[in-house]
């Protein structure tokens, strides 16, 4: 069965967002990444800037953190409300049209569908450091810190809101090392797998 929806989870610096955007262009389908933020903002009633800053942040754990986090009368935190709005939007997008969705736990949210290709893109440390240094104009030391911080937030958020571990191969249909394969080859493999 051909896959209408492609979800791409990725390590920071692996080029996953770029690869996803190129795949969407080449397949002539819609690409969703940060554009989802405005829809989440509308559904949750929160400012897009707040969503942008907090959507991938780690949920707070523990009694003390629980007491400090804003909650509504049902006991849901703002993070829970953002996640629920995001979940509904991703389910709607999958119903609406073929697309590529970057991050946002989309692989887990759409796990019950048969028409989804779930991809995880990772890379080798030296290449990711070089890429982040070049893209963000930062030192290699700063690039390593950015990578560790971003991936830790993604992992904690994913592990908290799903019943899975972020980056575990069994969660995905396809795991690609962009450092070993190169972006073009990753794109070709994804497109080939989406059509089979």
């Amino acid at each position: 069965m051909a896959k209408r929806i492609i979800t791409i989870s990725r390590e920071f610096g692996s080029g996953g967002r770029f690869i996803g955007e190129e795949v969407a262009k080449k397949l002539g389908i819609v690409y969703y990444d940060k554009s989802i933020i405005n829809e989440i903002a509308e559904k949750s009633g929160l400012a897009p800037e707040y969503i942008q800053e907090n959507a991938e942040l780690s949920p707070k754990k523990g009694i003390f953190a629980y007491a400090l986090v804003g909650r509504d009368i049902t006991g849901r935190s703002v993070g829970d409300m953002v996640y629920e709005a995001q979940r509904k939007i991703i389910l709607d997008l999958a119903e609406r049209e073929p697309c590529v969705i970057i991050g946002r736990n989309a692989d887990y949210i759409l796990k019950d569908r048969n028409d989804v290709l779930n991809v995880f893109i990772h890379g080798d440390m030296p290449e990711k450091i070089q890429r982040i240094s070049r893209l963000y104009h930062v030192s290699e030391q700063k690039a390593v810190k950015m990578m560790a911080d971003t991936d830790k937030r993604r992992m904690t958020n994913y592990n908290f809101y799903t019943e899975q571990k972020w980056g575990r191969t069994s969660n995905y249909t396809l795991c690609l090392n962009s450092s070993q394969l190169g972006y073009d080859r990753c794109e070709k493999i994804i497109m080939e797998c989406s059509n089979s």
Side-chain angles (χ1 to χ4, degrees):
M1 174 183 201
K3 307 298 185 192
R4 291 179 62 250
I5 315 297
I6 299 168
T7 72
I8 298 186
S9 301
R10 74 278 183 228
E11 290 180 344
F12 188 64
S14 66
R17 184 185 305 151
F18 174 82
I19 291 167
E21 201 168 3
E22 288 301 305
V23 166
K25 276 185 208 165
K26 289 174 180 170
L27 291 176
I29 61 177
V30 186
Y31 169 81
Y32 291 106
D33 182 12
K34 292 185 175 168
S35 55
I36 291 177
I37 289 169
N38 289 329
E39 289 191 52
I40 295 170
E42 275 179 42
K43 268 210 171 30
S44 67
L46 297 165
E49 298 76 30
Y50 181 87
I51 306 285
Q52 171 79 37
E53 221 170 280
N54 294 284
E56 281 189 322
L57 286 181
S58 308
K60 307 289 187 286
K61 291 185 181 175
I63 300 284
F64 186 67
Y66 185 90
L68 293 176
V69 174
R71 296 189 177 271
D72 69 5
I73 55 170
T74 66
R76 292 184 317 158
S77 71
V78 173
D80 295 341
M81 289 183 260
V82 168
Y83 183 77
E84 188 53 32
Q86 174 177 284
R87 192 182 75 76
K88 285 179 180 165
I89 288 160
I90 287 170
L91 290 168
D92 289 348
L93 294 175
E95 282 299 315
R96 195 185 315 163
E97 60 198 341
C99 58
V100 173
I101 303 173
I102 303 294
R104 313 234 171 257
N105 302 341
D107 63 295
Y108 179 78
I109 291 166
L110 300 174
K111 71 181 182 337
D112 296 328
R113 295 181 64 106
N114 293 326
D115 59 349
V116 178
L117 177 70
N118 293 315
V119 181
F120 186 81
I121 298 178
H122 58 102
D124 298 340
M125 191 64 85
E127 183 172 319
K128 291 190 300 183
I129 292 168
Q130 290 300 312
R131 184 166 201 275
I132 293 165
S133 296
R134 195 174 58 249
L135 277 176
Y136 296 94
H137 308 292
V138 296
S139 68
E140 289 190 5
Q141 189 177 1
K142 176 76 173 155
V144 169
K145 182 169 177 10
M146 287 172 70
M147 197 178 350
D149 291 349
T150 304
D151 283 347
K152 183 178 180 183
R153 282 201 330 256
R154 288 177 179 167
M155 179 183 68
T156 306
N157 181 286
Y158 186 90
N159 294 354
F160 185 84
Y161 285 110
T162 74
E163 298 157 9
Q164 303 176 155
K165 293 270 186 232
W166 182 77
R168 181 177 284 164
T169 56
S170 59
N171 300 343
Y172 310 98
T173 319
L174 192 59
C175 294
L176 302 171
N177 183 326
S178 60
S179 301
Q180 300 294 318
L181 297 168
Y183 294 178
D184 287 350
R185 187 89 182 103
C186 286
E187 291 161 23
K188 285 179 182 142
I189 292 168
I190 293 168
M191 291 187 293
E192 193 176 302
C193 290
S194 71
N195 289 320
S196 53

